[in-house]
Amino acid sequence: MSRIGIIGGSGLYKIEGIKNVKEVQVRTPFGAPSGKLVTGNLEGKEVVFMPRHDVGHRISPSHINYRANIYAMKKLGVERIISMTACGSLKEELKPLDFVAVDQFVDRTNYARDMSFFTEGIVAHIEFAHPVCEELRSIIYGAGKSLNLTIHNGGTYINMEGPAFSTLAESNLYRGWGMDVIGMTNFAEAKLAREAEICYVTLAAVTDYDCWHPQHESVTIDMIIRNLHKNVENAKRLLSVAIKNIEPRRSCACKDALKYAILTDRKLIPAKLKKDLNIIIGKYIR
Ligand SMILES: [Zn+2]
């Protein structure tokens, strides 16, 4: 069964309107995912929902088990993931309450997190020039437009380690690099999803300007929380339209991402590893 995965970010811990809700505890060879996953039916499609920080926002960006989360999605038959994220804006024209249909990433984490299924005993190099599924991205962009939301068509998301926000010097550096929005979580998800041949797209919702902006000093936590809630409300509406518009079959390249990527001599891959990674590599390696 092919399902659509939804990952909720800060402020998004539940989606109303999912029918036939089941909470599922998924076991993975990489440990436990962020929490129970919710399966059900939304807009006539089978979906799986997971809040990446867990309900109650208890897991910090550096400590999220990204591998377990994406593996769990794969195990439940997810072929496409729409990932929601709150972000800071690095450009004047990307205003609080705007959405960005992100198309590029830059990684600035310190690798405290595991970002690959292929770390020991098997080597795979996926193509990652275009880290987001264009098919899915055009669907979320179109959904935003149809609702008259302000959504920007493309943008680069710089993934910092966190959990502290940037210094002013860092914020200005990222602006100098031409980055558009900043967050702490989506790069690892995008990479792992590609390795798992899952389509992935980031819907970034701007909560505030990062500290480079002259207005930043006057921004209160209250305002940020208000923006966060407003963004979540809009994101849910956008999601409903996007899910309705997703075709049952994929015609993008994401589904074959591993086809030529695994370089390790098949005879040398340990049996246990083959078993653990079967849902990801089983198509190519038995
Ligand atoms: Zn795709």
Side-chain angles (χ1 to χ4, degrees):
M1 191 195 343
S2 150
R3 285 167 153 162
I4 300 163
I6 305 158
I7 300 180
S10 299
L12 183 55
Y13 311 106
K14 186 177 194 287
I15 294 181
E16 299 78 13
I18 300 182
K19 296 187 188 109
N20 307 323
V21 166
K22 269 197 207 114
E23 288 195 340
V24 204
Q25 186 83 61
V26 182
R27 289 155 77 89
T28 91
F30 302 99
S34 286
K36 284 182 181 161
L37 285 80
V38 171
T39 66
N41 189 287
L42 187 65
E43 303 295 341
K45 306 271 169 71
E46 291 301 313
V47 298
V48 179
F49 174 69
M50 161 193 284
R52 75 166 66 80
H53 301 280
D54 201 6
V55 178
H57 205 112
R58 61 176 189 91
I59 313 171
S60 107
S62 308
H63 297 101
I64 290 169
N65 191 341
Y66 296 95
R67 288 198 295 186
N69 286 355
I70 301 299
Y71 189 98
M73 287 265 175
K74 181 83 180 177
K75 201 169 168 184
L76 293 179
V78 167
E79 283 189 348
R80 280 173 276 218
I81 292 175
I82 302 176
S83 176
M84 319 284 233
T85 186
C87 67
S89 166
L90 295 165
K91 286 194 175 147
E92 187 74 54
E93 63 269 29
L94 307 175
K95 298 185 180 64
L97 302 179
D98 285 4
F99 284 98
V100 181
V102 167
D103 66 342
Q104 280 295 332
F105 289 101
V106 167
D107 180 26
R108 279 273 302 164
T109 66
N110 63 15
Y111 267 75
R113 50 195 86 182
D114 288 308
M115 295 206 215
S116 177
F117 292 113
F118 306 102
T119 47
E120 262 186 276
I122 180 169
V123 180
H125 301 288
I126 49 153
E127 293 283 346
F128 205 47
H130 303 286
V132 158
C133 173
E134 273 305 309
E135 204 173 279
L136 208 48
R137 204 176 71 79
S138 75
I139 290 171
I140 65 157
Y141 178 69
K145 278 277 165 207
S146 75
L147 291 167
N148 283 324
L149 298 170
T150 307
I151 182 163
H152 301 269
N153 195 5
T156 302
Y157 172 119
I158 185 161
N159 198 133
M160 66 179 300
E161 182 64 45
F165 293 115
S166 307
T167 65
L168 183 57
E170 286 170 330
S171 195
N172 282 324
L173 179 68
Y174 304 152
R175 273 169 55 72
W177 289 350
M179 306 291 100
D180 294 293
V181 292
I182 185 158
M184 299 177 188
T185 53
N186 279 45
F187 181 77
E189 287 175 1
K191 214 177 207 183
L192 289 158
R194 181 63 56 82
E195 285 188 350
E197 300 187 330
I198 298 172
C199 298
Y200 182 90
V201 70
T202 289
L203 176 64
V206 178
T207 50
D208 60 320
Y209 287 113
D210 203 42
C211 65
W212 62 273
H213 199 278
Q215 264 178 25
H216 186 80
E217 296 286 305
S218 58
V219 173
T220 62
I221 290 289
D222 236 34
M223 284 160 72
I224 294 177
I225 302 281
R226 255 205 316 273
N227 288 349
L228 198 62
H229 287 313
K230 184 84 191 144
N231 281 339
V232 164
E233 234 172 79
N234 285 331
K236 284 179 184 170
R237 288 165 56 217
L238 192 157
L239 196 64
S240 290
V241 175
I243 283 179
K244 234 180 279 178
N245 293 342
I246 289 177
E247 300 286 344
R249 274 180 195 288
R250 315 189 268 176
S251 54
C252 51
C254 313
K255 62 181 188 316
D256 307 307
L258 274 184
K259 199 168 181 182
Y260 305 110
I262 302 165
L263 299 186
T264 310
D265 183 339
R266 306 315 193 233
K267 293 193 292 288
L268 299 179
I269 302 170
K272 163 121 180 23
L273 199 56
K274 280 189 199 167
K275 187 166 165 276
D276 284 350
L277 291 179
N278 182 51
I279 60 168
I280 293 167
I281 64 171
K283 221 167 112 183
Y284 306 108
I285 296 172
R286 283 274 150 206

